[in-house]
């Protein structure tokens, strides 16, 4: 088994690395969020152990970016936050499990072993809603057989809506997913991107996929 540990605290990082290596696992340790994300995307790891508070890029954003780009391997999140909303948000972002700091290595090992045993469903690299097809690997969008050219942010917003097709997503949720927690929640950037998506996806077709729920947010439905 090959594990990537993304943790900026050298004491915790070395503690986890040494303990897993004693179990005869191959472990790489990275202290920067952006570097860790790049490493996870470019090398064949079986499990990622991810701290949330990282330099370069937050663990939450690393997790969202990996999942948005089709990363399917288990991710165990390490967090100093024990608030319920933080845990819920972490799981919604794509974490398979989380462990609150401080922790005993025996518990971390048990959770990592459980994730390693868990069968992973084969996830299609495509999301389909009605006549819309989003290829997560190639980062392409096709509607009714015709290609649709999107900017990176338009793609992220559309992908998020498609993953939750039929569910109303608030502007706050969409903003956090596509722009991260440090973006001004009072901005109308979500509405701007949605308008662009409507022009590119819905305007040429009689059937409209993007719906506004006044006072709540947006949903994509077939």
């Amino acid at each position: 088994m090959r594990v990537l540990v993304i943790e900026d605290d050298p004491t915790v990082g070395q503690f986890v690395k040494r303990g897993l290596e004693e179990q005869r696992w191959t472990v790489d340790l990275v202290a920067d969020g952006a570097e860790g994300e790049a490493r996870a995307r470019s090398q064949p790891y079986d499990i990622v152990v991810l701290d949330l508070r990282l330099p370069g890029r937050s663990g939450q954003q690393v997790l969202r970016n990996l999942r948005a780009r089709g990363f399917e391997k288990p991710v165990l999140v390490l967090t100093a936050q024990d608030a319920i909303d933080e845990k819920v948000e972490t799981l919604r972002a794509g974490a398979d499990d989380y462990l609150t700091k401080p922790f005993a290595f025996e518990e971390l090992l048990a959770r990592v072993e459980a994730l390693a045993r868990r069968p992973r469903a084969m996830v299609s690299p495509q999301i389909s809603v009605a006549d819309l097809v989003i290829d997560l690997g190639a980062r392409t969008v096709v509607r009714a057989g015709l290609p649709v050219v999107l900017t990176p942010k338009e793609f992220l917003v559309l992908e998020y809506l498609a993953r939750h097709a039929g569910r109303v997503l608030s502007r706050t949720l969409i903003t956090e997913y596509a722009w991260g927690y440090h973006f001004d929640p009072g901005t109308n950037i979500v509405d701007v991107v949605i308008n662009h998506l409507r022009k590119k996806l819905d305007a040429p077709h009689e059937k409209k996929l993007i719906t506004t729920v006044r006072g709540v947010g947006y949903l994509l439905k077939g």
Side-chain angles (χ1 to χ4, degrees):
M1 299 292 293
R2 193 173 179 197
V3 183
L4 174 62
V5 178
I6 309 176
E7 167 64 69
D8 69 320
D9 185 317
T11 301
V12 175
Q14 289 298 332
F15 171 69
V16 173
K17 184 176 189 293
R18 182 173 62 253
L20 291 176
E21 287 177 338
E22 288 174 354
Q23 304 301 313
R24 302 177 187 268
W25 290 28
T26 300
V27 183
D28 290 333
L29 175 60
V30 176
D32 178 86
E35 181 184 351
E37 180 184 328
R39 187 81 67 90
R41 292 172 57 189
S42 63
Q43 299 190 30
Y45 292 102
D46 298 292
I47 293 178
V48 174
V49 178
L50 175 66
D51 182 32
L52 288 186
R53 294 185 177 180
L54 295 167
R57 186 169 299 158
S58 73
Q60 193 81 256
Q61 194 60 50
V62 169
L63 179 58
R64 291 178 185 277
N65 290 347
L66 288 175
R67 293 308 191 209
R69 288 160 176 76
F71 185 83
E72 301 171 14
K73 298 298 183 179
V75 177
L76 171 66
V77 165
L78 303 179
T79 175
Q81 302 293 325
D82 59 0
I84 295 299
D85 57 347
E86 178 78 16
K87 295 176 181 178
V88 169
E89 191 61 33
T90 298
L91 292 172
R92 283 179 172 171
D96 293 89
D97 197 0
Y98 60 83
L99 188 59
T100 304
K101 296 178 179 179
F103 56 87
F105 178 76
E106 186 175 1
E107 182 180 4
L108 180 139
L109 178 61
R111 290 172 181 261
V112 169
E113 288 176 339
L115 290 176
R117 292 193 301 267
R118 182 184 301 177
R120 301 294 292 180
M122 294 302 292
V123 179
S124 170
Q126 294 185 340
I127 302 175
S128 298
V129 179
D131 58 355
L132 174 70
V133 179
I134 304 171
D135 190 314
L136 300 177
R139 309 284 289 176
T140 58
V141 175
V142 174
R143 174 142 196 218
L146 299 175
V148 180
V149 179
L150 301 180
T151 67
K153 289 302 182 186
E154 289 168 357
F155 185 94
L156 271 180
V157 171
L158 178 62
E159 179 263 334
Y160 189 49
L161 291 172
R163 283 187 184 275
H164 301 87
R167 173 187 167 191
V168 181
L169 299 176
S170 69
R171 289 173 177 81
T172 299
L173 285 175
I174 297 172
T175 301
E176 289 176 352
Y177 183 82
W179 287 273
Y181 288 101
H182 302 296
F183 203 86
D184 180 7
T187 181
N188 69 338
I189 189 65
V190 172
D191 303 304
V192 172
V193 170
I194 290 292
N195 285 335
H196 290 168
L197 287 173
R198 280 191 164 126
K199 291 177 182 178
K200 294 180 179 182
L201 288 174
D202 283 347
H205 304 277
E206 181 178 353
K207 182 178 177 61
K208 310 305 179 187
L209 299 180
I210 300 174
T211 300
T212 301
V213 179
R214 190 174 300 276
V216 183
Y218 300 99
L219 80 155
L220 188 75
K221 63 179 182 179

